[in-house]
Amino acid sequence: MKVGIVGLGLIGGSFAWAYHNEGHQVLAFNRTRSVLDFAMLSGAVDGELTKENVSDCDLVLVTLYPEAAIAYIDEMGPCFGPKPLVIDCCGTKRVVCAACFPIAQRDGFTYLGGHPMAGNHNSGFKYAKGNLYHGAPMVIVPPRFDDIALLGRVKELLSPAGFGSISVTTAEKHDQMIAFTSQMAHVVSNAYIKSPTARVHKGFSAGSYKDMTRVAWLNPPMWAELFMENKDCLLSELDIFIANLQQYRKAMEENDLPELVRLLDEGRRLKEEVDGR
């Protein structure tokens, strides 16, 4: 298999290592040439992805920020041809899919929206690893939901990455869900660490603090773009969260121990219902 990777950050670099480790040929493009050169020296990438050779690829993974992904797919649209599946890997889907489905139709190539549900708080090729996607979910937004052959091809082409599952959904459903499962966690963690107490916590914190603050260490430009593109869904989740916090605050302010116990037990039971023990 010949795979094209566009963008060699954590996500793209990890895809490069995953396909390389499975014996596939990897071509890549990166805006900063030095990163591409380093990736080739490291062995993860076999050569540069260009307008001349992109049509030879079986799969092209575009791992850029949303607006940059749209710009790249628009520019390269006439070059893809009928062979490769082109999948973006952006963290939101409505804006990217709305732009790229018409581009694919215009230029005659196959495009799907995608979101690998894996990562960590580090960014850059130096943190990439070939097993990042092992057992992780991959979300796909296809142009049609009745094309079984296409979905089978997607599963086959993505298999070297080692995903644990591949889910098929709409761009709207994806963005609604991701506002809760990912974006809210980053907003809350980032706001939580701003307490003045954070500067003097050493010696008083353990696992709870680490779990709560892990994703506060984020990539601000990337997450800001994702938040703004999905702000309707994210604002809705924030309103729910703030309303819930107000209930806890009110119970404590009014010394209402039974109500506080009820709220805490309600949250505990919901966690057990949705995620198990």
Side-chain angles (χ1 to χ4, degrees), residues 135-149:
M138 176 67 171
V139 181
I140 291 293
V141 178
R144 291 171 47 195
F145 289 85
D146 59 351
D147 193 338
I148 304 303

Side-chain angles (χ1 to χ4, degrees), residues 91-94 171-179 230 233:
T92 56
K93 295 271 68 80
R94 284 178 295 174
E172 292 74 19
K173 185 65 175 179
H174 169 276
D175 286 2
Q176 179 186 1
M177 294 302 295
I178 217 69
N230 202 33
C233 296

Side-chain angles (χ1 to χ4, degrees), residues 27 29 40 83 116 133 179 184 190 198 234:
L27 303 176
F29 169 82
M40 288 192 286
K83 183 179 180 181
Y133 305 112
M184 269 293 293
N190 198 265
L234 185 53

Side-chain angles (χ1 to χ4, degrees), residues 7-37:
L8 288 171
L10 174 69
I11 299 301
S14 295
F15 272 124
W17 278 118
Y19 282 89
H20 166 80
N21 291 345
E22 290 296 313
H24 301 288
Q25 185 180 4
V26 178
L27 303 176
F29 169 82
N30 195 75
R31 182 178 58 183
T32 304
R33 178 70 200 202
S34 60
V35 175
L36 175 60
D37 290 340

Side-chain angles (χ1 to χ4, degrees), residues 247-265:
Q247 292 184 57
Y248 291 89
R249 190 186 192 285
K250 181 181 178 183
M252 286 183 277
E253 187 177 41
E254 297 180 354
N255 292 315
D256 191 343
L257 181 61
E259 173 64 5
L260 184 57
V261 170
R262 186 195 69 79
L263 290 168
L264 293 169
D265 190 56

Side-chain angles (χ1 to χ4, degrees), residues 83-158:
K83 183 179 180 181
L85 288 188
V86 179
I87 302 177
D88 86 88
C89 297
C90 300
T92 56
K93 295 271 68 80
R94 284 178 295 174
V95 170
V96 180
C97 289
C100 292
F101 282 138
I103 294 171
Q105 194 168 34
R106 178 195 74 192
D107 293 325
F109 64 91
T110 303
Y111 160 79
L112 303 95
H115 187 185
M117 301 299 297
N120 57 53
H121 60 271
N122 295 309
S123 60
F125 180 80
K126 66 179 180 178
Y127 295 106
K129 53 184 182 178
N131 64 353
L132 181 68
Y133 305 112
H134 286 188
M138 176 67 171
V139 181
I140 291 293
V141 178
R144 291 171 47 195
F145 289 85
D146 59 351
D147 193 338
I148 304 303
L150 174 61
L151 296 177
R153 189 176 167 210
V154 169
K155 185 176 180 180
E156 178 184 356
L157 290 173
L158 290 175

